[in-house]
Amino acid sequence: MDERQEKYLSELERIQKGGPEKYHLSLKKQNKLFVRDRLNLLFDESSILEEGTFSNCLDPELPEDGNIVGMAKINGRLVCFAAADFTVKAGSWGAKGVRKLLYIQEKALSMKLPIIYLVDSAGARITDQKDVFPGRNHIGRVFYNQIEMSGIIPQITILFGVSPAGAAYLPAFSDLVIMVEGKASAFLGSPRMVEAVIGEKVSLEDLGGARMHCKVSGLGDVLAADDTHAIELCKNYFAFLPQNYLEKPAPAAAKEPSEGRPIAEIIPHNQNQPFDMYELIHRIIDEGSFLEYKALFAQELITGWARIKGETVGIVANQSKVKGGTLFVDSSDKGARFIWLCSAYNIPLVFLADIPGYMVGSQVERAGIIRHGAKMISAVSEATVPKITVIVRKCYGAGLYAMAGPAFGTDSVLALPTALIAVMGPEAAVKAVYSNKIDELEGEAKLAFMNQKKEEYSDNINIYGLASELIVDQLIDFEGVRKELSYRLEAYRNKERVWPQKNNSIHPV
């Protein structure tokens, strides 16, 4: 072999081994994969095209500066990627690693390719901070680029390990965040720093662990069991997204819904009796196609992607089994985020409404329920994709607005025979209007009066009466929901709606 070729191959092999063996052993003890094993699992065989492999090649302690970047394919689709190598200085961001990250972001934007971040990093390398932190083309530019790319190309972050301090904003600016339970974490200050600054003693898991972020803070969208599971989930979710905002998600082979009870049996006669909205969802969508978004967070609202006859849709549905399906601060944020995400990438939205409204009371008012509720209504209004709402049961108050009621550019508002639309439910309305009269009555007389007024109120909001006034576009049969949705989604597929030109909306925060 030519000595020049031999030297090249030797150097390449050394670089691709990553950092010292002791750090590889540490990964194995933690049941974590080496970065190159992750890349090989995520991408099609022999599809990886690296950039800057020989960065820092003259420094044997910093192969690739701990950051591998390039292009590769997932099921034939070209993407850009950046992957931290934890065996090199704990995956920390050094000067050349940051330059490589900026380079691949700019390539992704110019080519309109999705970008995937594989994070297992100690954050900015403190010893190099003047070369990575404050400048025009340092770490701050990474987040600037993410914001510029937002809504143009999908950005997915897989958190395999830590993402501390400023690096925690990388997942925050991503479209989808997958976190490995027991391994991934994100925080602005470490437990040691928190104790030193504010005197609080807290574990890493409670402070910024994967389950906490997926269930409590909402930073994480999907919780994975281990590295392999996280990579599998990334592939599955990626299949629902297009390459960029100019394209639509690719269809898949159509499947029939999973077998189950008739829809009329799933939905109780009693408006106040909870039922499992997941059961209804699975009777409408293609079998096995549902992938939930923020499944552990604000569970009174269900959001996720699915397919109806092979076509991608975003599902927004109220879950009466959790807090009665009432919208709270977190569920409003969850709904807004998901709607913006679907609208950005041309994914039609299907709303399944069974909502008593927004939560009331001093606690939620202090938490900003009006601001957060307005955020979800803003998202519904701004969505330019096809929007179809099915009123499943009750749809009261501003809950009608949040669930894409007739006034919000909704293409079709459909109603099942069980539907009710009103400012509030019968009992609350009667108590509000007739409180003085009710206080004057006692015993059976009070009960009889209230029942009479509730019946009168219910007759006034009868869905057939509302349909006769064109409040809803169509009443549909229980078993006809999937057919109606499929037909209408096909009809609206090429819908064009241009939002008025402006610098930017001023959103409620």
Side-chain angles (χ1 to χ4, degrees), residues 329-385:
V329 165
D330 283 345
S331 44
S332 300
D333 286 353
K334 173 180 174 177
R337 173 79 172 178
F338 182 72
I339 292 163
W340 277 319
L341 182 52
C342 287
S343 186
Y345 298 121
N346 304 307
I347 299 173
L349 286 158
V350 172
F351 296 81
L352 301 174
D354 178 23
I355 178 169
Y358 283 96
M359 190 59 187
V360 298
S362 62
Q363 185 173 351
V364 290
E365 293 293 359
R366 288 171 180 267
I369 188 67
I370 298 171
R371 290 188 294 107
H372 292 269
K375 192 185 300 183
M376 184 170 176
I377 295 171
S378 295
V380 168
S381 302
E382 291 176 338
T384 57
V385 295

Side-chain angles (χ1 to χ4, degrees), residues 28-55:
K28 289 180 181 178
K29 286 180 182 178
Q30 297 177 64
N31 194 30
K32 293 167 66 175
L33 298 175
F34 177 49
V35 61
R36 292 192 179 276
D37 295 327
R38 292 168 181 163
L39 294 176
N40 289 333
L41 280 175
L42 178 59
F43 299 125
D44 299 352
E45 187 175 357
S46 302
S47 74
I48 298 173
L49 179 65
E50 283 188 41
E51 305 280 13
T53 304
F54 288 86
S55 56

Side-chain angles (χ1 to χ4, degrees), residues 89-104:
K89 297 287 184 180
S92 58
W93 291 4
K96 290 177 183 173
V98 170
R99 283 166 59 187
K100 289 165 68 176
L101 179 50
L102 294 175
Y103 168 83
I104 204 65

Side-chain angles (χ1 to χ4, degrees), residues 25-243:
L25 293 174
S26 176
L27 285 177
K28 289 180 181 178
K29 286 180 182 178
Q30 297 177 64
N31 194 30
K32 293 167 66 175
L33 298 175
F34 177 49
V35 61
R36 292 192 179 276
D37 295 327
R38 292 168 181 163
L39 294 176
N40 289 333
L41 280 175
L42 178 59
F43 299 125
D44 299 352
E45 187 175 357
S46 302
S47 74
I48 298 173
L49 179 65
E50 283 188 41
E51 305 280 13
T53 304
F54 288 86
S55 56
N56 270 356
C57 65
L58 301 180
D59 187 340
E61 293 186 2
L62 292 172
E64 296 228 49
D65 206 24
N67 191 19
I68 303 170
V69 307
M71 296 182 292
K73 291 181 179 179
I74 298 177
N75 295 324
R77 294 173 58 189
L78 190 62
V79 302
C80 293
F81 72 87
D85 181 354
F86 194 76
T87 69
V88 179
K89 297 287 184 180
S92 58
W93 291 4
K96 290 177 183 173
V98 170
R99 283 166 59 187
K100 289 165 68 176
L101 179 50
L102 294 175
Y103 168 83
I104 204 65
Q105 285 184 317
E106 289 159 7
K107 182 179 286 290
L109 184 58
S110 66
M111 298 175 68
K112 292 186 172 57
L113 293 176
I115 186 166
I116 299 176
Y117 306 100
L118 293 84
V119 179
D120 194 353
S121 168
R125 200 172 295 159
I126 300 299
T127 55
D128 300 353
Q129 62 176 300
K130 67 180 174 59
D131 297 320
V132 300
F133 172 67
R136 185 178 296 276
N137 290 304
H138 291 167
I139 291 173
R141 191 73 182 189
V142 172
F143 308 133
Y144 175 91
N145 287 346
Q146 281 191 279
I147 296 163
E148 184 178 11
M149 292 187 289
S150 178
I152 296 176
I153 55 174
Q155 300 181 72
I156 299 175
T157 290
I158 310 176
L159 277 171
F160 296 99
V162 294
S163 187
Y169 288 106
L170 188 75
F173 291 125
S174 297
D175 299 321
L176 183 74
V177 180
I178 300 168
M179 301 184 74
V180 177
E181 184 165 20
K183 305 291 190 296
S185 60
F187 46 82
L188 297 183
S190 68
R192 185 182 302 172
M193 180 185 292
V194 168
E195 184 175 3
V197 175
I198 65 171
E200 178 188 4
K201 291 186 177 182
V202 62
S203 70
L204 177 61
E205 187 63 30
D206 288 340
L207 178 69
R211 179 166 287 273
M212 188 285 289
H213 278 307
C214 287
K215 188 172 183 178
V216 181
S217 81
L219 175 68
D221 301 318
V222 185
L223 189 66
D226 54 29
D227 286 17
T228 303
H229 186 217
I231 290 166
E232 180 186 353
L233 286 168
C234 180
K235 290 182 177 181
N236 293 341
Y237 279 91
F238 183 60
F240 282 107
L241 297 170
Q243 289 293 91

Side-chain angles (χ1 to χ4, degrees), residues 211-371:
R211 179 166 287 273
M212 188 285 289
H213 278 307
C214 287
K215 188 172 183 178
V216 181
S217 81
L219 175 68
D221 301 318
V222 185
L223 189 66
D226 54 29
D227 286 17
T228 303
H229 186 217
I231 290 166
E232 180 186 353
L233 286 168
C234 180
K235 290 182 177 181
N236 293 341
Y237 279 91
F238 183 60
F240 282 107
L241 297 170
Q243 289 293 91
N244 53 61
Y245 80 105
L246 296 172
E247 299 181 14
K248 293 179 180 178
K255 295 181 181 179
E256 290 299 308
S258 57
E259 294 184 3
R261 293 189 296 162
I263 291 176
E265 291 183 15
I266 294 172
I267 303 170
H269 289 276
N270 182 350
Q271 288 282 343
N272 296 321
Q273 180 182 337
F275 78 97
D276 191 351
M277 183 61 81
Y278 289 105
E279 191 176 0
L280 175 58
I281 291 170
H282 289 295
R283 295 295 296 125
I284 295 171
I285 65 172
D286 294 8
E287 184 175 13
S289 69
F290 189 55
L291 276 180
E292 198 163 356
Y293 173 82
K294 295 186 182 294
L296 299 178
F297 180 67
Q299 294 177 323
E300 62 272 16
L301 187 72
I302 298 169
T303 54
W305 291 285
R307 297 188 187 275
I308 296 180
K309 295 193 175 179
E311 297 292 337
T312 297
V313 297
I315 304 285
V316 181
N318 309 114
Q319 173 61 299
S320 61
K321 289 186 71 175
V322 180
K323 301 177 182 177
T326 305
L327 282 172
F328 285 73
V329 165
D330 283 345
S331 44
S332 300
D333 286 353
K334 173 180 174 177
R337 173 79 172 178
F338 182 72
I339 292 163
W340 277 319
L341 182 52
C342 287
S343 186
Y345 298 121
N346 304 307
I347 299 173
L349 286 158
V350 172
F351 296 81
L352 301 174
D354 178 23
I355 178 169
Y358 283 96
M359 190 59 187
V360 298
S362 62
Q363 185 173 351
V364 290
E365 293 293 359
R366 288 171 180 267
I369 188 67
I370 298 171
R371 290 188 294 107

